[in-house]
Amino acid sequence: MSGLGVIMLVHTALNRAGQVARHWTASGCPVVIHVDRKVSNKTYDDFVAACADDPLIRFSDRHVCNWGGWGIVAASQSAAALMLETFPDVHHIYLSSGACLPLRPVDELVNYLAARPRVDFIESATTADVSWTIGGLDQERFTLRFPFSWRKQRKLFDGYVKLQRALGIRRRIPEGLVPHMGSQWWCLTRQTLSAILQDPNRKVYDRYFRRVWIPDESYFQTLARLYSTHIESRSLTLSKFDYQGRPHIFYDDHLQLLRRSDCFVARKVWPSADRLYQAFLTDQAGAMRPTEPNPSKIDRVFSKAVERRTRGRDGLYMQSRFPRHGNENGLTSSPYAVFQGFTELFEDFEPWLANVTGTRVHGHLFAPDRAQFAGGETIINGGLSDCATLRDYNATAFISNLIWNTRGEMQCFQFGPADTQKINWFLARDKNAQISVITGAWAIPLFRSNRNFADIRAEAARLQQIETKQLEVLSSVWTKARVRTWSLADFVEAPGEPLQTVVEETGLTPTSHLTEAPKMVDLTGFGQFLQNLKNQGMHPYLMGDFPPDDVFSNRVRPYQKPYLVQ
């Protein structure tokens, strides 16, 4: 018989528990099994009968075990007492569950513990030193009473906690105890475990911990500090938890991950993971290599898994993880560019930009009548329709889906104050958005239209008001997009450098120096148009300072043809 004894707390998948128990006893390790009292008597009796031929397997008195309740501690006490009494040669007792699976040959664990005869392996830290408590109860779990089940009687649980807080009720911690917390799965020496079970004040301690929340994570962790001469505050069992405090379950495809952990035992293994049980219970020679257990080697994988589960992928929205405002992991999945005022100032700007940058350039995706997809398409990647009604039902989802479904291809689209404005804050908050705005360019189509001047003045006032509010959004402290703005007058004065800048930022590949730019529309008379708006009582200030026509027309005439960018 080896010097290692194993306690197994079992409540389901008894066939797997029996298989693992025989694996321990095959290496000379006695096993004491506690079966949850909620398991039917017939099932329990059949399980006992199936293990009766193995002299190293014993069954302890049964207790009802509920999550976070005292029954788990009582079950551990009963099994530990039976282990100490029945197998006097055992010097280390290893607490495990029916879902635990040995990852390395048992002899390696036996030798590892034999080389450390006085070491207790139990995670034991004060509440101030742990960051993994779930539910907001750290020190209070030791100073309040918890007679109700957190899972089955949640309203009573929460109500009683609030009542105790309101009345200022505080429990007295038994003298000499400093509450510690840690993993339930420990490996203690005979000396330490027997001292805990035979303590003259055990009744006092048991009565106190019966009303502590989740006592299986604090009872042995606290009392071991009274008697142990050498504690290594870590568990030899690989047990990972998600952000909600629930244990990760290992499946067949975690085989290589478990091998990399170098741990002796893993929890929690899916009962139907046949490949894992086959690999670790039968192929002992190739199970693991002798080395120090190092679960931190796979922490990076679990951290990525938690991040993927809680935050998801950039720009990917799911029914099961729809983001809360301000907590999204990226509003969109990849960079895209928004141009405002460029199609109004330049002729055929969209095909020119697509040719120069190699990107897909759309028209006004949020035009009132329809989404103007590139090439006049009515349906685009992902089955997105150009229907304005469908688009505006959830404008943010529309742009997120468009960017997600076309990832790998840079998307550009036009925008302006005449478009649907529901998307403004979304664009401003999106770190992937590159927004280039020529303020006041919306006046150019009005200038070139054949509408009555009274209608033009009213429309100009409306669009200017909309763009002013939009610019306030884009200059907000909450804006994460890259925003560049030019007044129309400044842009027309020197268009070369701004065009070079936006093209370089938009192109998928580095762009050489531009030698030709798109043709600018004829702005002869535009200055007088703005003056007419002023004369009619509308002040067009977003365009910048335009000079009178006799000066301005001389300035813009050279740009009526394609020009060289200096």
Side-chain angles (χ1 to χ4, degrees), residues 145 147-148 155-165:
R145 290 179 174 83
F148 303 107
K155 289 185 177 180
L156 290 174
F157 181 97
D158 291 340
Y160 195 58
V161 168
K162 291 179 181 178
L163 177 63
Q164 293 178 87
R165 288 172 175 170

Side-chain angles (χ1 to χ4, degrees), residues 219-245:
Y219 180 84
F220 291 98
Q221 293 76 2
T222 298
L223 297 182
R225 290 290 176 178
L226 298 179
Y227 304 107
S228 178
T229 59
H230 186 176
I231 285 182
E232 283 202 16
S233 186
R234 63 188 175 100
S235 174
L236 296 179
T237 300
L238 173 64
S239 183
K240 294 294 183 179
F241 295 85
D242 64 14
Y243 72 106
Q244 294 177 315

Side-chain angles (χ1 to χ4, degrees), residues 436-501:
S436 303
V437 181
I438 303 176
T439 63
W442 45 263
I444 297 176
L446 294 178
F447 162 65
R448 305 179 71 191
S449 70
N450 191 31
R451 301 168 63 178
N452 293 330
F453 199 80
D455 296 335
I456 291 176
R457 181 188 61 190
E459 182 67 3
R462 185 183 74 87
L463 295 178
Q464 181 164 255
Q465 185 180 29
I466 293 174
E467 188 168 68
T468 298
K469 293 181 179 179
Q470 180 199 15
L471 293 175
E472 291 176 357
V473 171
L474 295 180
S475 61
S476 166
V477 295
W478 292 283
T479 296
K480 297 180 181 179
R482 173 178 288 186
V483 180
R484 296 182 183 274
T485 61
W486 304 268
S487 70
L488 180 58
D490 290 340
F491 198 97
V492 169
E493 180 73 21
E497 183 177 346
L499 280 174
Q500 181 73 39
T501 299

Side-chain angles (χ1 to χ4, degrees), residues 312-350:
R313 284 176 280 181
D314 286 356
L316 178 60
Y317 293 56
M318 296 174 58
Q319 175 273 336
S320 60
R321 192 184 58 248
F322 199 80
R324 291 173 292 151
H325 180 74
N327 290 284
E328 306 92 346
N329 185 21
L331 299 177
T332 54
S333 59
S334 58
Y336 59 96
V338 182
F339 293 92
Q340 183 163 319
F342 287 79
T343 55
E344 290 77 10
L345 181 59
F346 297 104
E347 296 180 3
D348 298 324
F349 175 75
E350 296 162 23

